[in-house]
């Protein structure tokens, strides 16, 4: 029997409540059966002995049945089923113990059935009354789990997670199956919401994922089930999910989720403001167009995720010439094809080369004579740079120095370096190399 489920104070309070209700149900059932003749037919000593025996049997059965992993705020049909099982076992064990000790003498047989019903009402009624008090309705109490196709792990063990789980359970068109929850504060670890366990904290994410993988319940994505999560925590989740091969998404807002009805539930990608911790800045697109239009532009790392998007948006603004500099032949071929299809009128050059080669970079800039350089070439994946620090320094720090020196020597009017939030008080090699590049 595991007693760690009683670690949270509220779980201990719930256990004390249930034990008291067990004792009370014994007296109530006898009174319902015998009425005012209760103390005439059953001596007080006999009644107290029976009540003590019943309570001592009920306590370990309640613990073993897992009644204290659930949270009263989210009481549902699952909890009522667990209570019914626990009460049934308690009554059966009590009848057996009473038979072995007294041959069932002194207590009417129908009392045991009445006792079971009364105890279920006392335990279940308290939970659902609390749920009703919190939610002001019982519209979703009688819900059952329906298996879904895409396994997801929820981040956050509050109202949003409970609403998401309920929506998935009641919606036949939902595409997700919740396999577990991680709690950002850790106060609800070891408990459950609608029988979905809170497996650990965000800091224990690797351990939680490994545990789910071992039981063939590996989630495909993390779903942030919390409206307000610190931007640093969101960035941490994105990094850790990337290392674990998972994607990260947000659940719909509570108001939207409650209005879903029978429609499929759509989770949304992480928005930029989730990571920034502030509203996204409104771009001065007219100013950007005035900066680029009619000028010669060079983009380093043009085949990468950021460099590629920079190249596409720059081409759309009408530069007089666009030079794409990239070390990967395939990536260069792909971005050159994209721009040729979307903006065929833009004159362009595709150059294979490495920013770590100072002479090569100086020669390219001297030949192309760009007026604006967008420097996006870098090693950006934290785990890769962490195990290849020399390469990170050569590309991110030395490569940036080479580009900056070449820009100065060839008369480039404007150089823009793409950096990262990890350069602020850098906690890793990648951030440190980008901070060096910024300083230079």
């Amino acid at each position: 029997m595991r007693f760690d489920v009683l670690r949270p104070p509220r779980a201990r309070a719930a256990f004390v409540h249930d034990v008291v209700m067990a004792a009370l149900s014994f007296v109530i059932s006898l009174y319902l059966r015998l009425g005012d003749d209760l103390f005439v037919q059953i001596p007080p000593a006999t009644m107290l002995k029976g009540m003590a025996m019943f309570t001592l049997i009920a306590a370990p059965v309640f613990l073993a049945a897992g009644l204290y992993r659930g949270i009263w705020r989210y009481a549902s049909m699952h909890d009522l089923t667990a209570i019914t099982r626990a009460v049934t076992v308690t009554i059966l064990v009590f009848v057996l113990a009473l038979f072995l000790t007294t041959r069932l003498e002194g207590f009417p047989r129908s009392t045991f059935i009445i006792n079971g019903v009364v105890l279920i009402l006392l335990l279940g009624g308290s939970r659902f009354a609390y749920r009703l008090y919190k939610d002001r309705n019982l519209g979703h109490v009688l819900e059952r789990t329906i298996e879904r196709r895409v396994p997801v792990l929820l981040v956050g063990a509050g109202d949003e997670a409970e609403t998401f789980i309920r929506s998935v359970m009641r919606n036949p068109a939902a595409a997700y199956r919740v396999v577990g929850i991680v709690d950002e504060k850790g106060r609800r670890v070891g408990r459950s919401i609608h029988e979905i366990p809170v497996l650990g904290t965000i800091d224990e994410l690797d351990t939680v994922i490994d545990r789910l993988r071992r039981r063939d319940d590996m989630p495909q994505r993390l779903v942030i089930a919390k409206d307000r999560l610190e931007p640093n925590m969101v960035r941490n989740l994105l990094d850790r999910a990337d290392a674990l091969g998972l994607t990260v998404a947000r659940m719909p807002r509570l108001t939207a989720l409650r209005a879903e009805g029978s429609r499929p539930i759509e989770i949304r990608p992480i928005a930029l403001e989730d990571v920034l911790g502030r509203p996204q800045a409104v771009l001065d697109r007219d100013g950007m167009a005035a900066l680029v239009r009619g000028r010669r532009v060079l983009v380093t790392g043009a085949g990468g995720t950021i460099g590629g998007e920079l190249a596409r948006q720059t081409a759309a603004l009408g530069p007089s010439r666009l030079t794409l500099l990239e070390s990967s032949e395939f990536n260069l071929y792909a971005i050159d094809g994209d721009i040729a299809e979307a903006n065929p009128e833009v004159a362009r050059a595709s150059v294979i080369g490495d920013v770590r080669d100072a002479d090569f970079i100086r020669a390219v800039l001297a030949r192309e004579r760009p007026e604006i350089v967008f420097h996006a070439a870098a090693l950006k994946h934290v785990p890769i740079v962490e195990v290849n620090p020399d390469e990170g320094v050569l590309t991110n720090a030395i490569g940036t120095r080479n580009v900056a020196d070449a820009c100065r020597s060839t008369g480039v009017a404007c150089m823009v370096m793409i950096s990262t939030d990890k350069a602020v008080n850098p906690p890793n090699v990648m951030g440190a190399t980008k901070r060096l590049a910024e300083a230079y």
Side-chain angles (χ1 to χ4, degrees), residues 80 83-85 87-88 115-125:
L80 186 58
I83 287 170
T84 303
R85 285 198 301 263
V87 171
T88 301
N115 196 359
V117 174
V118 169
L119 186 52
I120 290 173
L121 291 174
L122 289 174
L123 300 184

Side-chain angles (χ1 to χ4, degrees), residues 44-58:
T46 302
M47 186 178 67
L48 288 174
K49 182 179 178 182
M51 182 177 67
M53 181 186 295
F54 183 75
T55 305
L56 289 173
I57 291 172

Side-chain angles (χ1 to χ4, degrees), residues 27-54:
V27 178
I28 292 174
S29 62
L30 286 174
Y31 181 80
L32 291 175
R33 173 63 179 83
L34 300 174
D36 295 335
D37 294 334
L38 170 60
F39 293 106
V40 175
Q41 297 191 33
I42 300 179
T46 302
M47 186 178 67
L48 288 174
K49 182 179 178 182
M51 182 177 67
M53 181 186 295
F54 183 75

Side-chain angles (χ1 to χ4, degrees), residues 74 76 78 131 145 162 165-166 169 192-196:
Y74 309 127
S76 69
H78 301 298
R131 170 73 184 270
T145 302
E162 191 271 341
I165 294 170
R166 273 197 291 117
M169 287 177 176
S192 63
I193 300 176
H194 298 315
E195 293 193 344
I196 304 298

Side-chain angles (χ1 to χ4, degrees), residues 84-218:
T84 303
R85 285 198 301 263
V87 171
T88 301
V89 172
T90 300
I91 295 296
L92 291 176
V93 174
F94 176 63
V95 169
L96 178 61
L98 210 58
F99 176 79
L100 294 176
T101 55
T102 68
R103 297 295 177 181
L104 300 180
E105 295 178 0
F107 295 100
R109 306 294 189 268
S110 58
T111 303
F112 307 126
I113 298 175
I114 298 172
N115 196 359
V117 174
V118 169
L119 186 52
I120 290 173
L121 291 174
L122 289 174
L123 300 184
S126 301
R127 285 160 169 81
F128 292 136
Y130 185 77
R131 170 73 184 270
L132 178 60
Y133 167 73
K134 286 292 187 178
D135 290 354
R136 300 299 189 271
N137 71 81
L138 288 178
H140 306 305
V141 167
L142 303 178
E143 297 164 355
R144 293 185 177 276
T145 302
I146 302 174
E147 292 297 314
R148 297 303 172 202
R149 289 182 297 166
V150 180
V152 299
L153 180 68
L154 298 187
V155 179
D159 291 348
E160 296 93 337
E162 191 271 341
T163 304
F164 183 86
I165 294 170
R166 273 197 291 117
S167 299
V168 167
M169 287 177 176
R170 74 170 184 241
N171 192 339
Y176 309 109
R177 176 169 61 89
V178 182
V179 298
I181 307 168
V182 291
D183 185 15
E184 77 280 6
K185 295 181 179 178
R187 292 184 299 192
R188 289 177 169 174
V189 173
R191 306 184 73 184
S192 63
I193 300 176
H194 298 315
E195 293 193 344
I196 304 298
V198 182
L199 299 170
T201 64
I202 292 178
D203 292 336
E204 299 167 338
L205 184 60
D206 293 356
T207 304
V208 170
I209 294 296
D210 185 60
R211 192 188 316 166
L212 291 171
R213 183 187 291 113
R214 286 201 303 269
R215 71 184 197 198
D216 294 327
D217 238 348
M218 176 71 180

Side-chain angles (χ1 to χ4, degrees), residues 16-32:
V16 172
H17 166 273
D18 290 352
V19 171
V20 171
M21 290 301 105
L24 189 60
S25 71
F26 185 80
V27 178
I28 292 174
S29 62
L30 286 174
Y31 181 80
L32 291 175

